[in-house]
Amino acid sequence: MSAFHFLRALSQINKTTPKSSLLLRSRRIRHAAYASMAYTAGRSRLWSRALLRRLQRRSRLRYFSSQRTRAVIAPRRLKAVRPRSGEPSRAEALRRLVPGGAGMDYCSLLDETAHYIQCLSSQVQLMQKVVGSISS
Amino acid sequence: MEMNANDKFGMEKRSGVHLNHHISGVSADCQFGTPSMGAVPANPAIAMSQGVSMISSSSPSVPGVDFFGPGLWSHPANPQNLGFSNAQTNTGASSSIPIGKPVAVSSRGMFLQAIPGVLPPNLSHFPADSAFIERAARFSCFNGGNFSGMMNPFGPSESLTPHPTASRGVTGTQGHKSELNMTEVPRDITVPIDHGSSSGSPLKNQRDKGSYLVGGLSNVSREANFTEVDQEKSTELANAAGNSSSSDLGSKKRKRSNQDMELDQVQRGTQLSMENTKDNAETEQNLEQNSSRPNGKQAKDSTEGSKEDYIHVRARRGQATNSHSLAERVRREKISERMKYLQDLVPGCSKVTGKAVMLDEIINYVQSLQRQVEFLSMKLATVNPRVDCNIEGLLSKDLFQFRGGSSSMIGFSPNMIHPQLHPSQQGLVQPGISGMGSPSDAVRRAMNAQLTVMSGFKEPTPQIPNVWDDELHNVMQLSYSTNPPLNTKELNGKPRDGFPI
């Protein structure tokens, strides 16, 4: 299912974006990859919800934003992930990595991380297969 | 209330009847010791009577103990096999002794019954099989054996030996169960007594009962008793402690899934059965050993007491009864369980030990995956222009197996796709949307490699609400719609949070 979504998005991107803007294309493809991954994961996961929210926000801002708004959102200031008690120090880094990780307790963070890793690895495999089939 | 031996015996039978009714669902291959019932030794009977009186007088909030006390001890159950079927036949002749807590029995019985039905699927490390369930079911009815040998100096709950890890280490179900039983039962007994009465002899009787329970109970009886008493005990603990921490626990525990609940129950059950298998002397020795040999994890928990969970987590021996430490321990166990799962997930982490190193490995792995996604998207961006049609071909090829015109597939609106994708994700095909259902199947088959990974996700795929569709529709459209050209500033702005978007 994620493959279907991703391929569809990919084809759309190929059709719509100019070939010259490589950066734009790569960003859009990455956006599509994460979107299809989050969609496949479903709403039951914290990270997928947070991921979709983030993608929507960025896309909407990007799409509807004026020059000024884009200037505002571009310097993305990360809200400081304050170190929490009762958990390892490295948990902060993990929270930054996993979407939506800042709002979770450590226990659910590990849970979400596990699922996120699964989805990420499957998405990577899918993309590798697509690249392989396209290049060959 | 003093009850003579006959009354007690009848009560036991009655309890056996009640239990049998509830546990009849469980396959009962144990033979109820009918002759053993008749041969109730005088000592246990006396002790039981005292204990019964004790229990009944100790705390009204622990009806389970009341009910099961005599039932548990009056039956000199075979160490391994106690049959409910026999119990049923036996109980037919039982007199109607007003033990007086049919409601409690039913609740307990149902509680017991719930156990077999709700085994968590991922309890691979527990012997949570049907045999276990049977034992758990039988446990409630049977008790007996030579408790006199189990006159352990069961001190207050704090003196309970911590042996959670030890119990877990034992792969045998018996060991687990009995060990847990050792810790749990005395805990159960002492708690009501502490609350109920302060006299020395009752306390001793309770302890004797505890020892009886620990020493001679079969796996089933112990487990059942444990579960039953656990319910009562937890209520009692909550009442007695009067802690606000119970509410904290509740709030914490409410997060726990049913799986965790079952996990705890099964844990306790396994530990109980583990104890049961050992004979009295051995269990005594184990208890002593456990108390003297705290594990690293248990050393911290040595001050902790009974686990209290709104699912009635039982404290291990030697652990403090503080509800905070209880919740903390539950949390720790959850974390370690998840770390183990992550260890399996991250390649090359099997030999890594320790949470810190493991965390670093996980972080590195997530970062590497995200970098890979970024790299592959860049690669796709460069490769794609040459093979514009190939992507459509890939897509349509799968869809084309059931549909004509690939372009028609590609042009499907996301809203049409989404309902299909839901069923496909769940392995179902909505008959209502026949057109879309086939492509989903085709895609699934074609992209089996990717989909197998998705299907391997452990959490169940819930129904995605329609709002999800709209959201994704927006996202997907925005992702490949003609956006205004991004200024260089935005493009150069790297996500500082590490999220590659």
Side-chain angles (χ1 to χ4, degrees):
Chain A
M1 180 167 74
S2 66
F4 180 70
H5 256 290
F6 181 64
L7 288 175
R8 202 160 53 97
L10 215 54
S11 63
Q12 288 274 354
I13 292 172
N14 285 337
K15 274 188 256 175
T16 54
T17 28
K19 303 182 182 176
S20 54
S21 58
L22 197 69
L23 230 75
L24 177 64
R25 283 171 70 91
S26 66
R27 273 189 85 90
R28 289 217 189 133
I29 289 173
R30 187 174 64 186
H31 192 281
Y34 280 107
S36 70
M37 189 171 80
Y39 178 73
T40 310
R43 293 220 82 158
S44 63
R45 283 285 158 182
L46 270 167
W47 69 263
S48 57
R49 290 199 293 266
L51 180 51
L52 273 186
R53 257 199 310 270
R54 196 184 305 194
L55 292 174
Q56 266 186 307
R57 205 187 318 138
R58 293 197 138 234
S59 301
R60 234 175 253 141
L61 282 172
R62 209 175 287 152
Y63 189 72
F64 298 115
S65 67
S66 64
Q67 203 77 6
R68 221 180 82 196
T69 329
R70 267 187 265 123
V72 166
I73 65 168
R76 210 174 138 178
R77 227 181 358 238
L78 174 65
K79 203 194 303 184
V81 177
R82 57 176 176 85
R84 299 201 192 184
S85 63
E87 58 187 37
S89 58
R90 294 295 272 156
E92 295 177 54
L94 195 57
R95 281 179 200 278
R96 279 193 282 268
L97 280 176
V98 178
M104 303 182 213
D105 57 321
Y106 186 64
C107 209
S108 48
L109 177 69
L110 290 180
D111 211 16
E112 297 286 321
T113 306
H115 190 254
Y116 185 61
I117 286 175
Q118 276 179 321
C119 290
L120 257 186
S121 53
S122 72
Q123 182 70 31
V124 164
Q125 282 175 14
L126 166 65
M127 290 173 80
Q128 279 170 342
K129 282 193 164 65
V130 170
V131 169
S133 65
I134 283 180
S135 348
S136 62
Chain B
M1 59 184 85
E2 284 295 334
M3 295 168 65
N4 54 22
N6 292 339
D7 289 345
K8 220 189 331 288
F9 199 73
M11 208 163 63
E12 301 157 13
K13 289 180 185 175
R14 190 185 157 99
S15 66
V17 178
H18 282 283
L19 290 165
N20 196 14
H21 287 178
H22 296 292
I23 307 170
S24 57
V26 179
S27 62
D29 58 355
C30 54
Q31 288 81 33
F32 189 77
T34 308
S36 62
M37 276 182 64
V40 177
N43 285 340
I46 293 173
M48 275 193 308
S49 62
Q50 289 173 343
V52 170
S53 59
M54 275 310 306
I55 291 175
S56 51
S57 61
S58 64
S59 92
S61 66
V62 190
V65 179
D66 248 332
F67 186 78
F68 282 100
L72 283 166
W73 300 317
S74 61
H75 298 310
N78 300 330
Q80 295 304 324
N81 274 348
L82 294 171
F84 272 133
S85 54
N86 290 342
Q88 198 168 21
T89 59
N90 292 330
T91 52
S94 67
S95 59
S96 61
I97 299 219
I99 296 181
K101 277 137 188 140
V103 177
V105 176
S106 59
S107 67
R108 279 192 297 276
M110 281 160 52
F111 179 82
L112 280 175
Q113 209 172 21
I115 297 173
V118 203
L119 261 190
N122 62 348
L123 279 185
S124 54
H125 53 294
F126 288 108
D129 48 3
S130 59
F132 174 81
I133 302 296
E134 295 171 28
R135 282 193 295 272
R138 278 178 248 144
F139 183 83
S140 62
C141 263
F142 302 109
N143 188 357
N146 190 9
F147 290 126
S148 57
M150 287 307 301
M151 295 289 290
N152 276 344
F154 282 111
S157 57
E158 290 71 22
S159 69
L160 292 178
T161 8
H163 65 270
T165 53
S167 63
R168 287 219 186 83
V170 177
T171 55
T173 65
Q174 300 296 318
H176 279 283
K177 293 173 187 171
S178 53
E179 197 169 331
L180 181 60
N181 187 24
M182 288 297 282
T183 59
E184 316 275 334
V185 167
R187 184 82 194 87
D188 293 344
I189 302 302
T190 52
V191 168
I193 292 176
D194 292 339
H195 297 301
S197 67
S198 56
S199 62
S201 62
L203 191 64
K204 185 169 188 300
N205 285 337
Q206 290 294 339
R207 288 188 188 174
D208 293 352
K209 279 185 287 192
S211 61
Y212 286 163
L213 285 168
V214 171
L217 286 177
S218 67
N219 301 343
V220 174
S221 55
R222 275 188 198 169
E223 288 163 5
N225 181 37
F226 177 76
T227 52
E228 299 300 338
V229 179
D230 200 8
Q231 263 181 333
E232 321 299 16
K233 184 185 85 74
S234 47
T235 13
E236 178 148 1
L237 278 175
N239 298 337
N243 294 335
S244 59
S245 56
S246 60
S247 61
D248 298 341
L249 278 175
S251 62
K252 282 184 191 177
K253 299 308 174 295
R254 273 170 218 123
K255 290 183 196 170
R256 293 182 59 160
S257 63
N258 284 338
Q259 269 189 343
D260 289 343
M261 283 173 54
E262 306 308 330
L263 180 65
D264 277 338
Q265 291 170 4
V266 177
Q267 276 182 5
R268 293 195 295 275
T270 49
Q271 287 176 342
L272 280 171
S273 61
M274 187 167 74
E275 275 191 340
N276 289 333
T277 50
K278 300 174 188 168
D279 64 7
N280 297 347
E282 285 180 15
T283 38
E284 273 186 335
Q285 287 175 3
N286 280 333
L287 282 176
E288 302 309 321
Q289 288 172 3
N290 287 337
S291 52
S292 61
R293 167 185 52 113
N295 297 342
K297 186 170 153 183
Q298 290 157 0
K300 283 183 283 184
D301 301 343
S302 58
T303 57
E304 292 174 323
S306 55
K307 294 198 293 189
E308 204 171 58
D309 195 0
Y310 84 111
I311 316 171
H312 312 301
V313 168
R314 176 62 52 90
R316 298 203 184 87
R317 184 180 169 83
Q319 290 157 349
T321 17
N322 188 8
S323 50
H324 287 290
S325 39
L326 245 177
E328 199 180 312
R329 169 139 33 112
V330 167
R331 182 177 156 275
R332 259 202 297 273
E333 286 172 0
K334 277 206 284 190
I335 286 175
S336 64
E337 177 191 335
R338 272 151 201 195
M339 289 293 291
K340 268 189 267 194
Y341 182 71
L342 276 168
Q343 207 170 17
D344 299 333
L345 216 50
V346 178
C349 267
S350 48
K351 43 191 170 312
V352 170
T353 51
K355 287 204 285 192
V357 187
M358 193 60 219
L359 252 187
D360 285 344
E361 283 296 317
I362 291 167
I363 287 168
N364 287 340
Y365 188 60
V366 171
Q367 276 174 340
S368 77
L369 281 177
Q370 285 176 342
R371 277 196 296 266
Q372 262 183 310
V373 169
E374 199 162 340
F375 170 74
L376 283 169
S377 67
M378 192 80 86
K379 201 165 172 189
L380 275 173
T382 58
V383 166
N384 270 348
R386 282 185 253 128
V387 283
D388 240 350
C389 49
N390 277 18
I391 296 175
E392 274 193 30
L394 275 169
L395 202 60
S396 59
K397 173 184 57 174
D398 306 321
L399 308 173
F400 191 72
Q401 293 177 16
F402 296 88
R403 271 290 217 201
S406 57
S407 57
S408 63
M409 294 309 214
I410 306 259
F412 284 153
S413 73
N415 285 333
M416 286 177 64
I417 299 278
H418 297 174
Q420 293 303 316
L421 294 173
H422 291 288
S424 70
Q425 189 179 21
Q426 299 171 6
L428 309 169
V429 177
Q430 285 182 6
I433 314 178
S434 58
M436 299 309 298
S438 318
S440 306
D441 288 335
V443 171
R444 250 186 306 138
R445 273 192 292 277
M447 306 291 177
N448 201 24
Q450 293 93 27
L451 288 170
T452 45
V453 181
M454 304 301 269
S455 59
F457 295 154
K458 66 172 176 173
E459 86 283 357
T461 54
Q463 282 293 340
I464 304 179
N466 289 337
V467 175
W468 186 256
D469 299 343
D470 298 338
E471 210 174 292
L472 181 67
H473 177 63
N474 295 337
V475 170
M476 297 299 277
Q477 272 191 341
L478 290 168
S479 69
Y480 47 72
S481 63
T482 33
N483 294 337
L486 306 167
N487 53 12
T488 53
K489 189 176 179 192
E490 193 175 335
L491 286 176
N492 292 339
K494 285 209 176 278
R496 269 165 248 152
D497 61 351
F499 183 69
I501 282 286

